[in-house]
Amino acid sequence: MAAITRLQQLQLLHPPLTLRRSLPFHKPKQLTRSRPRSFSTSPILCSNNSHNTPESSASKVGANASIVGDLLDYLNESWTHFHATAEAKRQLIAAGFHLLNENDEWDLKPGGCYFFTRNMSCLVAFSVGEKYTVGNGFHVIAAHTDSPCLKLKPRSASSKSGYLMINVQTYGGGLWHTWFDRDLSVAGRVILRGSNGSFVHKLVKVKRPLLRIPTLAIHLDRTVNKDGFKPNVETQLIPLLASKLEEASVETKEKSTTTSSKAAHHPLLMQALSDELNSNIDDIVSIELNVCDTQPSCLGGGNDEFIFSGRLDNLASSYCALRALIDSCKSPGDLSSEQAIRMVALFDNEEVGSGSIQGAGAPTMFQAMRRIISCLADKYVGEGAFERAIRKSFLVSADMAHGVHPNFMDKHEEHHRPEMQKGLVIKHNANQRYATSGVTSFLFKEIGKIHNLPTQEFVVRNDMGCGSTIGPILASGAGIRTVDCGIPQLSMHSVREICGKEDIDIAYKHFKAFYQTFSSIDKKLNVDS
């Protein structure tokens, strides 16, 4: 009861975030450089936008500034990979970055800051050093916007035993048993038919608990605690939407002329979407939705030292990288002595292998690099500009790392047990499941050493399989030097994950230091001369 009482007190002091509607993404009349939203220094149960004012941001500039509150805002806004990309887009525009379109010709200048999106789930942002010359390198941090989740099937409507059910697909390697008995809803994107015959892309988020996957009572499964909970993901991982009552859909039937018992999606679900979008059901011509947990991201632990949230893998890395880029070039003089191009690349579909037009397996980033070099070449007629630039470039593949679990310590190799609150983890694998080498590991650790930022190292046990990242995909794509690193966490791929609050700020500072100092460090080491 004492814990419940404390929770109630914290809720009164720090009310949960009220999530905003998706913003329209038109180019503002005047772009201004402003810092991302900041937050109160008092304990945070959930993020609270009331603290995020330009005045409070200005007061927090300095070495001890924390981005944890801003990360909570980002997580609570980013229920899906679409929303994560859209929120990154909003923050980049607010910081003065200019939106590009891959279909248009680009006009780039030294000292400029730019970005583009692909599929509204992949984003590449970059700033050009004022001292840039053709052949200089790219300093890149790459992460991914997607997380394991449940996605609606193209025909999601089904019914069982008097209930309306939603058929879903499993996406990625999720811990699916953690999705049971959670307050769930849906979010994603829709295509709407416009009044003039055009089609409009919009993001949607139904904030109220809409779905539930109930577990079976122990009275009907007496051996579950002994034998384990092993649900069949096709027949038993089906969210419940509503009781199948005729009156439940009477109003919906009156509003839509296309409603029938053979509709691809339940009219009740479509009505919830149309209410959120302020549109007619008949105008929704396509949907692409994730099932999402409605519980907000928040601080937790006895000293509020942890972050409890879904999608930390890998939105925590994505936000730290994005924020580091924005803050490394927010002041007029930040790019004055930079000779390289600073870049962030946020890809989709890492959890399923990156093999998509918006994934790291596509040549998105390297095509952008070629275009950037071409735009900035002016009258340059030399040989091998792109190839020389790649050889001078460096990529930080940022994905979350496996922190040692106190109840399962034997799952880690004895001398490689990363702990939370102790800095970024550099990942090694002799079989190249990670792209780290002795050289790239040294260079990345040297950044931390200079700026007094701790690092840890991880290697998987020889008798266990090793996961992988976008690092090897990108490293082999054009031959770019790469280090794999990540923020240590627990409960990876659960519906609710955990990481250390201090590690967020350490990662942000390490990434920012990478942008600001890598050029000078790299000059001191020559391997192939």
Side-chain angles (χ1 to χ4, degrees):
M1 286 299 294
I4 296 175
T5 302
R6 181 173 180 273
L7 178 62
Q8 291 171 337
Q9 291 172 343
L10 284 170
Q11 286 175 324
L12 290 173
L13 290 171
H14 305 282
L17 169 70
T18 300
L19 295 171
R20 304 186 305 272
R21 288 185 183 273
S22 300
L23 298 175
F25 300 114
H26 54 80
K27 188 174 180 179
K29 293 182 179 179
Q30 183 177 1
L31 295 176
T32 59
R33 283 189 177 275
S34 62
R35 287 181 55 80
R37 296 168 295 178
S38 190
F39 72 106
S40 170
T41 55
S42 57
I44 301 170
L45 179 65
C46 299
S47 57
N48 188 336
N49 279 330
S50 63
H51 300 297
N52 299 326
T53 63
E55 292 76 13
S56 63
S57 292
S59 67
K60 292 184 176 298
V61 177
N64 295 321
S66 175
I67 67 164
V68 170
D70 299 330
L71 171 65
L72 292 176
D73 287 336
Y74 183 73
L75 291 167
N76 283 321
E77 186 66 28
S78 304
W79 281 22
T80 72
H81 49 319
F82 301 126
H83 289 83
T85 304
E87 176 60 13
K89 177 179 180 178
R90 187 197 68 78
Q91 293 195 22
L92 286 165
I93 290 175
F97 280 66
H98 299 276
L99 176 61
L100 303 172
N101 190 310
E102 287 189 282
N103 298 328
D104 300 334
E105 289 190 15
W106 293 354
D107 180 19
L108 312 179
K109 305 293 182 183
C113 299
Y114 310 90
F115 77 100
F116 66 87
T117 65
R118 178 180 288 188
N119 190 52
M120 196 47 69
S121 62
C122 167
L123 179 147
V124 176
F126 58 95
S127 57
V128 184
E130 292 184 21
K131 299 290 186 181
Y132 172 83
T133 59
V134 176
N136 287 358
F138 293 80
H139 300 161
V140 190
I141 303 176
H144 64 90
T145 60
D146 62 317
S147 304
C149 65
L150 303 176
K151 293 178 178 285
L152 269 63
K153 291 182 177 180
R155 301 187 65 85
S156 70
S158 69
S159 59
K160 291 183 179 182
S161 302
Y163 296 102
L164 301 182
M165 313 294 288
I166 302 293
N167 288 325
V168 295
Q169 305 178 74
T170 55
Y171 175 84
L175 291 171
W176 303 123
H177 65 276
T178 66
W179 287 74
F180 282 74
D181 292 338
R182 304 291 304 185
D183 296 341
L184 306 174
S185 192
V186 294
R189 68 171 169 197
V190 301
I191 306 298
L192 292 176
R193 181 184 291 108
S195 58
N196 60 354
S198 63
F199 298 98
V200 182
H201 173 276
K202 283 194 175 183
L203 301 188
V204 64
K205 184 189 303 178
V206 180
K207 304 171 190 67
R208 64 184 177 90
L210 195 66
L211 305 172
R212 185 92 170 190
I213 309 174
T215 48
L216 184 63
I218 193 170
H219 312 81
L220 305 177
D221 188 8
R222 290 290 188 180
T223 64
V224 65
N225 289 328
K226 180 180 68 174
D227 298 337
F229 182 44
K230 303 172 183 178
N232 183 295
V233 294
E234 174 63 23
T235 62
Q236 297 169 339
L237 190 69
I238 306 177
L240 183 154
L241 174 64
S243 299
K244 190 179 180 182
L245 301 175
E246 289 297 328
E247 57 268 25
S249 60
V250 169
E251 183 181 355
T252 301
K253 288 180 180 179
E254 293 175 352
K255 290 186 178 181
S256 175
T257 59
T258 60
T259 300
S260 73
S261 60
K262 297 182 180 180
H265 308 285
H266 286 303
L268 197 59
L269 173 64
M270 299 304 292
Q271 187 63 56
L273 296 176
S274 67
D275 289 345
E276 190 69 30
L277 293 163
N278 293 319
S279 68
N280 296 322
I281 293 179
D282 292 342
D283 291 334
I284 301 175
V285 297
S286 179
I287 65 173
E288 188 174 350
L289 300 178
N290 294 359
V291 175
C292 305
D293 185 19
T294 60
Q295 183 176 356
S297 304
C298 62
L299 293 185
N303 299 307
D304 289 323
E305 68 265 50
F306 301 124
I307 296 175
F308 297 157
S309 174
R311 307 174 303 283
L312 288 173
D313 178 17
N314 191 31
L315 293 185
S317 303
S318 296
Y319 185 73
C320 288
L322 177 76
R323 182 65 177 269
L325 177 65
I326 290 173
D327 287 357
S328 73
C329 54
K330 68 179 182 296
S331 300
D334 286 342
L335 296 173
S336 60
S337 60
E338 179 61 79
Q339 300 177 358
I341 294 172
R342 302 171 183 176
M343 178 177 282
V344 160
L346 307 181
F347 296 100
D348 193 4
N349 300 130
E350 187 275 345
E351 298 293 355
V352 292
S354 298
S356 68
I357 188 175
Q358 58 272 355
T364 311
M365 186 178 80
F366 298 117
Q367 287 176 348
M369 289 177 172
R370 288 185 183 276
R371 295 187 68 176
I372 293 167
I373 293 171
S374 177
C375 285
L376 298 172
D378 195 18
K379 298 179 181 179
Y380 177 81
V381 293
E383 177 270 337
F386 174 76
E387 289 75 15
R388 290 190 293 113
I390 289 296
R391 293 306 308 139
K392 293 181 181 179
S393 298
F394 194 92
L395 171 73
V396 177
S397 169
D399 206 343
M400 301 298 279
H402 296 290
V404 62
H405 196 303
N407 297 331
F408 300 91
M409 292 178 61
D410 59 337
K411 294 296 183 180
H412 274 70
E413 198 276 334
E414 181 181 2
H415 303 290
H416 298 85
R417 291 175 173 169
E419 299 178 33
M420 288 195 286
Q421 320 289 14
K422 293 191 176 181
L424 282 170
V425 178
I426 299 175
K427 307 176 186 179
H428 301 262
N429 185 261
N431 296 307
Q432 296 300 297
R433 299 292 288 172
Y434 302 128
T436 306
S437 70
V439 171
T440 61
S441 174
F442 164 75
L443 290 170
F444 195 68
K445 285 191 289 186
E446 190 68 9
I447 296 168
K449 181 179 178 181
I450 292 172
H451 293 270
N452 197 29
L453 297 168
T455 57
Q456 308 178 77
E457 293 180 295
F458 171 79
V459 63
V460 74
R461 289 172 54 115
N462 289 329
D463 56 359
M464 295 180 65
C466 181
S468 191
T469 68
I470 60 177
I473 296 172
L474 295 172
S476 60
I480 186 171
R481 294 175 296 169
T482 302
V483 63
D484 267 297
C485 71
I487 299 166
Q489 71 162 102
L490 299 176
S491 303
M492 187 178 287
H493 288 196
S494 170
V495 72
R496 293 288 286 185
E497 300 172 320
I498 174 175
C499 74
K501 181 174 69 174
E502 291 183 23
D503 288 324
I504 296 301
D505 286 326
I506 293 173
Y508 158 70
K509 292 174 183 177
H510 205 135
F511 292 164
K512 185 178 177 183
F514 165 69
Y515 285 130
Q516 294 175 327
T517 63
F518 183 78
S519 292
S520 60
I521 295 172
D522 194 32
K523 291 178 181 178
K524 299 177 181 180
L525 177 66
N526 197 328
V527 175
D528 292 308
S529 61

